[in-house]
Amino acid sequence: EAEVAQSPRYKITEKSQAVAFWCDPISGHATLYWYRQILGQGPELLVQFQDESVVDDSQLPKDRFSAERLKGVDSTLKIQPAELGDSAMYLCASSIGQGQVNEKLFFGSGTQLSVL
Amino acid sequence: AQKITQTQPGMFVQEKEAVTLDCTYDTSDPSYGLFWYKQPSSGEMIFLIYQGSYDQQNATEGRYSLNFQKARKSANLVISASQLGDSAMYFCAMREKGYGQNFVFGPGTRLSVLP
């Protein structure tokens, strides 16, 4: 079965450093999501792409976070500079992107970020 | 705005017994979908079951069933014959119809199955 690929699986960095996460969605999936999940809480949307366009980045801290999906396929999420409060699991997900209510999300394995 | 509420931060159930995890939602859109995901300690999010707002019957998938009460805006997950491997976080989520519609998650319930 096709999977959403994410890397790295784990990332340890010091505060004020830059970090980047990569995601490759399931082939043919037009919608790509980046979620942040703090331990013990539900995922919170950071940014949502439809093909190469951003459709929702209202919760993305744009002073330090950026996301791109230049060719409408894979995506990169960057944090610069990282802060202690950024320590969390970063989940990438994709869906077919046809706007139907029954479209489920397929998740990658996530990147666990620790900022020291 | 969409909102999902899960009022049980943690639940315990004895192995082989059934357990119900609560979920209530808020939306003004008549067309929406409700989902349940399982997240084991390893971190991956596993899709369990889906219920559409216009579906006449409650969804079932193996040991999972969804008790959908549209008027009360609730979509509770029922796990029958609990197994030790069911110990995990469980998230209720909702999507409304249309391009660009967000997929919103609840805060989750941690289920612990006791031997």
Side-chain angles (χ1 to χ4, degrees), chain B residues 59-99:
Chain B
T60 60
E61 289 286 349
R63 294 187 299 112
Y64 304 108
S65 60
L66 204 152
N67 183 0
F68 180 47
Q69 299 184 48
K70 192 171 182 178
R72 298 180 60 186
K73 293 189 175 179
S74 74
N76 299 338
L77 177 69
V78 181
I79 305 175
S80 63
S82 296
Q83 302 172 355
L84 295 178
D86 293 335
S87 294
M89 284 290 288
Y90 288 81
F91 295 98
C92 180
M94 178 173 67
R95 172 201 289 280
E96 294 173 343
K97 185 177 175 64
Y99 289 103

Side-chain angles (χ1 to χ4, degrees), chain B residues 3 5 23-29 32 34 68-76:
Chain B
K3 185 176 180 180
T5 302
C23 172
T24 58
Y25 59 92
D26 184 28
T27 179
S28 57
D29 197 320
Y32 52 89
L34 297 158
F68 180 47
Q69 299 184 48
K70 192 171 182 178
R72 298 180 60 186
K73 293 189 175 179
S74 74
N76 299 338

